[in-house]
Amino acid sequence: MNSEWQERNRPHRLERRYQFPDYSSLRDFLDRAADLSEREGLYPDMGFGRDYVNITIHAEEGAEALNDTQRRFAAQLDELRGTESSN
């Protein structure tokens, strides 16, 4: 998992912003992130604009901390972002 992820408490969550060179690159990432979410059964909060997306991955309901599932999902998002042709 990339060190750009910020771990927060109250509630427990991971947060990160990804920047993109253009809307087309952003859209491609969002489509692939949606596919990943479906495969993993994990649905983060996402807010986006023309060239960025903010992602929040929450701990499971009632959990006292994040677990390996959320951290692995964050790492998988980083891998998706790494496959972009331009940063």
Side-chain angles (χ1 to χ4, degrees), residues 1-71:
M1 184 175 72
N2 189 302
S3 63
E4 291 183 42
W5 284 96
Q6 299 293 313
E7 190 163 341
R8 309 277 190 216
N9 296 318
R10 299 184 196 162
H12 294 284
R13 64 197 185 279
L14 291 170
E15 298 175 337
R16 172 142 192 217
R17 170 176 242 174
Y18 292 105
Q19 290 288 146
F20 296 87
D22 53 43
Y23 183 75
S24 178
S25 298
L26 167 67
R27 178 64 191 255
D28 182 54
F29 175 81
L30 291 174
D31 288 343
R32 290 183 291 123
D35 292 341
L36 175 63
S37 288
E38 290 293 326
R39 280 195 312 271
E40 297 296 320
L42 190 67
Y43 302 93
D45 291 339
M46 294 185 178
F48 64 93
R50 185 177 57 83
D51 63 353
Y52 71 90
V53 61
N54 293 319
I55 300 178
T56 303
I57 302 170
H58 294 276
E60 292 179 10
E61 182 91 22
E64 304 251 343
L66 293 157
N67 63 34
D68 290 340
T69 301
Q70 288 93 24
R71 293 178 197 287

